[in-house]
Amino acid sequence: TTFTGGLHTDFEYETNTINTTQYSVEISLQSSFQPGMKLEVANKSSPDTFWVATIITTCGQLLLLRFSGYGDDRKADFWCDVMTAELHPVGWCAQNNKTLMPPEAIKEKYSDWTEFLVQDLTGARTAPANLLEGPLRGKNTVDLIVEGSVLELQDASDPFLYWPVRVLQNTGGRLRLRYAGLSEELRAPDAWLFYLDVRLRPLGWALENQLRLEPPTELRTLKSATDWQQALEDARGDGQKNPLPLEVFKDHVDLPEHAFKTGMKLEMVSPWERLQICPVSVTKVYSEIYFQVTQDDLSADAQPRSVVCHAGSPGILPVQWCLKNGVTLERPRGLGGPDFDWADYLKQSGTEAAPDGCFPDTWQSRGFAKDMWLEAVNPHRPAEVCVAQITQVRGRLLWLRLEGVSKPLSEIIVDVESTDIFPVGWCEANSYPLTPPLKAVCQKQKKIAVVQPEKQRNYSSTLLFSSPPGAPNGRYCCSKIFVNHRCFSGPYLNKGRIADLPQAVGPGKCSLVLKELLSLLINSAYKPGRVLKELQELEDPGWDCQEETLKAKYKGKTYRSTIRIVRLVDQIPDFCRKVCVKLQCCPNLFSPVLVTDKCPENCSVQTKTKYTYYYGKKRKLAKPVGGEDTAEGDLTKPARRRKKRKSIFVQKKRRSSAVDYTPDDDTPLQSGSEGTSSEPREDHTDASSVEATSSRPRRAAALRRVVTARSTADSQEAAAGGRRRSTRSLAASNRNKYQPVEEDEGQLVLDRNPLEWSVDEVVQFINSTDCASLANIFQEQDIDGQALLLLTLPTVQECMDLKLGPAIKLCHQIERVKVAFYRQFAN
């Protein structure tokens, strides 16, 4: 039985990822009942009688049984539930004066059933009584360890030293342990060990094997000898009140004898660095089971770092293992010379390499492969279990990258038999929190929050798991699809939101990767419903597609649509390109190819819309006659003053004011303008009407200049100076009557740097314009001068919930302040 995938809090696994691998921790799934055990079972054909049955196999609390006497005949095998069936250990009937009688079908098979039972039960193993009745009935082995259970734990630095520990938590066999005598107030960090760890033994093990019971060396000073002795007595008392069934230890392995000698050299995964393999030496042999290794350190200030090992310790490797497997071997500290060579090192130190026969099988991979996903313990925080990806497999060693852990602590090396790695879904199956991956992009705090629906799903794109490379369904699985943030985002997608997306989505099944990608793009749009409508119309007869339902949220409304998504990996490049073309963005905005520097499409020269022609090379329009739009042939080259106005943001924005869009409840996917300056204009009609509209402010400005010239007796310079002095005195005397003054060219003149404006001054300025009805919004959102200069049309629309017309009108006034700021204060 293996764990397969399952849904987690914010991301999902593919179930075909790693179900062929073998984990040491999966032994915790085994039932306490073992095949071959004997039971006394109620005989259905004869009430109040029982007969001996043998366990054939187990499935959780279900047992497949066969009555003794049937031999190898399987026709009468039957299932029973431990929780409901009448099951008893062998000998129960004799103790309770119950009748043992074989089933009617085989009653005549043997003449002397007593002799048959004696032979059948000789050397057999019966099921423990406490597993058939009471609170432990039907529980798996791992479930027999309950909170408060007492075990004995071997000291990490002395294999002959033990001390009792209490179980504080049991999560799927992974135990949180605390040394006896310690409490919440007086404590050391709790230990986390799997229940099959060789350091764990039942209570009483040390005394039975003539070993010492003493608290760990680093804890002895916390209490007096008398207090430690009292803590030992209390732990023994608790253990006797709630004895731990010996079935818990039935799967513990017997450690083999080793062949190491003092002075031998070997390689070992560093227990301290977790991502280094370094030379070590055998410095002490405790017994035929245990020995001590110390990391080689030739420096003058060397501090010995030692660890107790046995023949099956994970991470011990023969000399030259790193060289044979293409892995870097760390040089011992203080060793001179440019390169490390084992032959020279052994010769200089006068030592020998440990024979290969001393080590366990170093090529047992257990089915693990690169790019597989699993769940692993963070060695720097043992209580934390993280999503992990295998980045490299060498022999029986796995290189893991822990997601959600900051570098450089995120890379570790573990053994394939480690009890600190778990299959996908283990945390969910055991109701244990799983540390999710870090978000791809850290969001900075903004003064004005921009609501971005389902933004929290960004990190899920890193967890679209796929089968190993070369799997039979490889044509349905793709590698990463990149989001090239620097590419042109087009009129529909918000450039800021695109920048917040992860750099890549995948790897995984094509349909899952593309569905996740399209969901991210929809939520990155100015109006997600419009993008959803555009994607709905996307299709190609040559595609092998499947339909997926996608949704978009905008202003409290939810839009849903069925989108056709390709299933084959070789169709992904064409699909991505056509989606980009449909959304009028750079064809490389999202693509299987990563754009590292300059986009091949040279999209960096694009403005917010691909229709740059009308902005950059505006043609002069003839005056429309009779209210009708001009024809394309009437367009001429732009006038000279057109170029002068091009640099003013507001004027460009105002040309989009002729089009507006309001979501319709009845037709949620209707097409329309996205309400931004990037709205495409596909014919000259929009351009002519906008040009005609935007020409009015120029005529009004010219008229004001003529009236001012005729009504002023003084020179232009004196008038301008007087106006400036008047403005300064007015602003200084009464800020509530703030009234900006325009020069002859219609430009705003400020007497104070807008970066220094307070919220009240911003409100006063808005009140002095034709957008006075919006002043309360600035007051409510605490928009000061600095925030005012950061406002753009998309931000104004979303944060202030304005339609396109009022938003452009407001942005015109904001742009006047920006222009005045650049002209007066930027230097």
Side-chain angles (χ1 to χ4, degrees):
T1 305
T2 59
F3 288 106
T4 54
L7 293 180
H8 286 249
T9 307
D10 289 306
F11 48 88
E12 58 184 18
Y13 297 94
E14 280 289 46
T15 57
N16 63 348
T17 305
I18 48 178
N19 55 3
T20 60
T21 54
Q22 302 175 14
Y23 293 83
S24 295
V25 297
E26 287 185 335
I27 199 171
S28 64
L29 297 175
Q30 295 182 2
S31 171
S32 300
F33 298 94
Q34 299 296 307
M37 283 184 173
K38 301 289 186 178
L39 304 170
E40 292 181 354
V41 185
N43 198 336
K44 294 182 180 180
S45 61
S46 179
D48 296 329
T49 65
F50 295 81
W51 189 240
V52 177
T54 304
I55 298 177
I56 304 302
T57 188
T58 65
C59 181
Q61 64 187 40
L62 299 180
L63 305 179
L64 181 63
L65 303 178
R66 182 182 302 170
F67 279 123
S68 295
Y70 277 94
D72 295 331
D73 188 358
R74 299 185 299 174
K75 65 181 180 182
D77 291 358
F78 61 97
W79 289 94
C80 68
D81 189 334
V82 178
M83 303 301 293
T84 58
E86 191 172 358
L87 306 175
H88 303 282
V90 173
W92 180 86
C93 288
Q95 296 174 1
N96 294 274
N97 297 321
K98 297 293 182 180
T99 304
L100 277 175
M101 181 181 296
E104 290 291 336
I106 58 172
K107 193 171 185 180
E108 305 298 332
K109 189 174 182 178
Y110 295 96
S111 58
D112 190 347
W113 282 102
T114 302
E115 182 181 356
F116 169 81
L117 282 182
V118 171
Q119 295 178 357
D120 188 53
L121 294 177
T122 300
R125 181 185 177 192
T126 185
N130 56 357
L131 301 183
L132 297 172
E133 56 190 20
L136 302 182
R137 182 178 184 178
K139 288 189 176 182
N140 288 347
T141 304
V142 67
D143 298 326
L144 300 178
I145 308 174
V146 297
E147 183 179 341
S149 299
V150 181
L151 301 93
E152 290 182 354
L153 178 62
Q154 184 186 51
D155 192 273
S157 58
D158 187 345
F160 303 133
L161 192 65
Y162 283 79
W163 189 251
V165 289
R166 284 188 175 86
V167 177
L168 301 183
Q169 184 179 349
N170 178 5
T171 304
R174 190 163 184 260
L175 308 179
R176 180 185 174 192
L177 306 170
R178 181 172 298 171
Y179 284 105
L182 301 183
S183 61
E184 289 293 341
E185 295 77 18
L186 183 66
R187 55 173 293 187
D190 296 332
W192 285 86
L193 293 174
F194 197 65
Y195 81 103
L196 294 180
D197 195 289
V198 294
R199 294 176 57 199
L200 287 174
R201 297 294 179 181
L203 190 66
W205 167 270
L207 293 181
E208 291 177 5
N209 292 273
Q210 291 79 45
L211 302 174
R212 304 195 315 273
L213 272 173
E214 297 179 8
T217 306
E218 64 273 12
L219 302 180
R220 291 177 188 173
T221 58
L222 297 179
K223 284 190 171 188
S224 64
T226 305
D227 291 338
W228 282 120
Q229 186 63 31
Q230 182 62 44
L232 178 60
E233 297 299 330
D234 293 342
R236 286 175 174 172
D238 294 341
Q240 292 173 359
K241 292 178 183 177
N242 300 300
L244 197 62
L246 293 180
E247 286 74 18
V248 170
F249 302 93
K250 65 181 175 59
D251 295 314
H252 270 61
V253 297
D254 294 327
L255 296 178
E257 296 183 359
H258 68 79
F260 289 95
K261 297 179 181 179
T262 303
M264 284 184 174
K265 299 285 186 182
L266 59 149
E267 298 175 2
M268 183 179 186
V269 178
S270 173
W272 307 280
E273 309 300 338
R274 303 308 295 262
L275 192 60
Q276 295 181 359
I277 302 177
C278 54
V280 295
S281 303
V282 178
T283 53
K284 187 176 182 179
V285 176
Y286 292 101
S287 64
E288 65 276 5
I289 302 296
Y290 297 104
F291 60 95
Q292 176 183 274
V293 298
T294 303
Q295 183 175 350
D296 287 2
D297 190 342
L298 306 180
S299 60
D301 58 343
Q303 297 291 332
R305 306 174 82 176
S306 304
V307 63
V308 176
C309 296
H310 52 82
S313 288
I316 59 172
L317 307 164
V319 165
Q320 303 286 4
W321 186 91
C322 287
L323 180 64
K324 294 176 182 178
N325 288 273
V327 179
T328 301
L329 178 67
E330 295 294 321
R331 294 165 49 87
R333 286 186 59 201
L335 181 65
D339 300 316
F340 177 79
D341 181 76
W342 263 116
D344 295 339
Y345 184 58
L346 293 174
K347 185 177 180 180
Q348 293 174 7
S349 59
T351 55
E352 63 175 331
D356 291 349
C358 294
F359 301 89
D361 179 14
T362 57
W363 298 102
Q364 183 181 4
S365 65
R366 287 200 171 198
F368 290 95
K370 182 182 178 183
D371 293 332
M372 286 184 174
W373 292 85
L374 45 83
E375 297 170 4
V377 174
N378 179 0
H380 308 285
R381 298 179 62 184
E384 182 179 33
V385 180
C386 308
V387 172
Q389 184 181 28
I390 301 175
T391 60
Q392 188 178 179
V393 178
R394 292 291 184 271
R396 59 183 296 135
L397 296 185
L398 308 177
W399 274 251
L400 302 182
R401 183 181 66 248
L402 303 180
E403 302 289 341
V405 178
S406 59
K407 294 182 178 181
L409 305 180
S410 60
E411 299 284 342
I412 61 172
I413 302 175
V414 299
D415 190 88
V416 293
E417 294 186 357
S418 171
T419 54
D420 285 339
I421 58 174
F422 312 94
V424 166
W426 184 87
C427 280
E428 182 186 33
N430 291 279
S431 301
Y432 194 79
L434 177 65
T435 300
L438 294 173
K439 290 189 177 181
V441 178
C442 295
Q443 295 197 21
K444 298 179 181 179
Q445 277 192 329
K446 298 183 179 180
K447 202 166 185 70
I448 302 176
V450 179
V451 178
Q452 302 184 9
E454 300 184 358
K455 193 62 168 290
Q456 65 273 16
R457 297 180 58 195
N458 284 0
Y459 62 80
S460 64
S461 60
T462 62
L463 292 173
L464 296 170
F465 306 107
S466 64
S467 297
N473 61 347
R475 63 195 300 250
Y476 297 101
C477 296
C478 66
S479 57
K480 295 181 179 180
I481 299 181
F482 297 94
V483 180
N484 298 309
H485 302 91
R486 296 184 179 181
C487 288
F488 174 57
S489 58
Y492 298 117
L493 304 178
N494 186 314
K495 185 69 173 178
R497 294 183 186 175
I498 291 292
D500 284 347
L501 296 183
Q503 187 180 35
V505 180
K509 287 176 61 177
C510 297
S511 56
L512 289 177
V513 173
L514 291 174
K515 181 180 179 181
E516 181 69 12
L517 176 67
L518 294 180
S519 297
L520 294 176
L521 292 177
I522 290 171
N523 292 327
S524 300
Y526 289 113
K527 291 190 176 180
R530 176 63 186 276
V531 172
L532 193 60
K533 176 178 175 61
E534 296 293 331
L535 295 176
Q536 185 181 15
E537 300 170 356
L538 187 68
E539 61 179 333
D540 190 308
W543 287 344
D544 181 3
C545 296
Q546 72 180 54
E547 293 186 346
E548 296 285 350
T549 301
L550 299 180
K551 64 180 180 178
K553 294 183 179 179
Y554 183 67
K555 291 187 177 180
K557 300 177 183 178
T558 300
Y559 308 93
R560 288 181 174 84
S561 181
T562 301
I563 309 297
R564 288 171 287 277
I565 298 177
V566 298
R567 302 170 62 237
L568 303 180
V569 64
D570 55 355
Q571 296 176 346
I572 285 183
D574 183 54
F575 179 85
C576 291
R577 190 173 186 88
K578 289 189 175 180
V579 170
C580 291
V581 171
K582 189 71 174 176
L583 299 182
Q584 301 177 25
C585 57
C586 175
N588 294 319
L589 180 63
F590 44 95
S591 166
V593 179
L594 176 63
V595 176
T596 56
D597 189 7
K598 186 175 181 181
C599 176
E601 301 289 335
N602 197 26
C603 64
S604 60
V605 301
Q606 295 280 13
T607 59
K608 190 58 185 175
T609 171
K610 74 173 185 178
Y611 298 94
T612 318
Y613 178 80
Y614 291 104
Y615 284 137
K617 298 181 179 180
K618 191 70 177 182
R619 298 180 180 179
K620 187 176 181 180
L621 304 177
K623 184 177 180 180
V625 179
E628 297 180 357
D629 295 329
T630 59
E632 184 176 0
D634 296 333
L635 298 177
T636 59
K637 292 185 178 180
R640 185 175 181 180
R641 61 181 176 182
R642 174 70 183 93
K643 185 174 181 180
K644 180 178 179 181
R645 295 180 63 245
K646 178 182 177 182
S647 62
I648 302 178
F649 168 83
V650 175
Q651 304 298 346
K652 292 169 64 177
K653 295 297 180 182
R654 293 184 63 177
R655 288 199 293 276
S656 301
S657 61
V659 185
D660 199 354
Y661 169 77
T662 303
D664 189 344
D665 293 339
D666 298 330
T667 57
L669 295 179
Q670 75 175 61
S671 62
S673 167
E674 285 299 303
T676 71
S677 61
S678 58
E679 178 62 19
R681 299 176 178 82
E682 301 187 2
D683 54 37
H684 58 275
T685 303
D686 289 340
S688 62
S689 61
V690 171
E691 178 65 19
T693 303
S694 61
S695 63
R696 295 173 184 172
R698 279 190 297 221
R699 292 198 297 272
L703 181 60
R704 286 197 301 271
R705 288 198 297 271
V706 173
V707 173
T708 302
R710 290 179 179 178
S711 62
T712 304
D714 299 332
S715 65
Q716 184 176 357
E717 179 179 356
R723 283 194 296 271
R724 292 189 184 97
R725 289 191 298 272
S726 174
T727 304
R728 293 192 189 98
S729 60
L730 183 62
S733 62
N734 187 357
R735 291 288 182 183
N736 293 330
K737 297 180 180 180
Y738 178 87
Q739 181 65 38
V741 180
E742 296 186 5
E743 292 182 342
D744 290 341
E745 295 183 356
Q747 295 175 334
L748 184 65
V749 178
L750 304 176
D751 66 325
R752 187 161 177 253
N753 191 335
L755 289 175
E756 301 173 358
W757 286 4
S758 64
V759 176
D760 291 336
E761 289 176 290
V762 172
V763 173
Q764 292 163 19
F765 169 74
I766 298 299
N767 279 324
S768 68
T769 67
D770 55 356
C771 298
S773 60
L774 306 176
N776 62 326
I777 299 178
F778 289 80
Q779 187 74 48
E780 293 172 358
Q781 299 195 12
D782 293 331
I783 300 177
D784 57 12
Q786 294 185 26
L788 179 73
L789 295 180
L790 293 176
L791 292 179
T792 61
L793 181 59
T795 309
V796 166
Q797 280 189 278
E798 293 192 28
C799 298
M800 299 184 179
D801 197 21
L802 299 178
K803 293 185 178 180
L804 181 61
I808 290 180
K809 190 175 181 182
L810 177 59
C811 281
H812 168 66
Q813 302 298 337
I814 297 173
E815 195 65 17
R816 294 173 64 219
V817 178
K818 292 182 181 181
V819 173
F821 166 73
Y822 288 123
R823 190 180 67 254
Q824 295 179 238
F825 303 102
N827 293 329

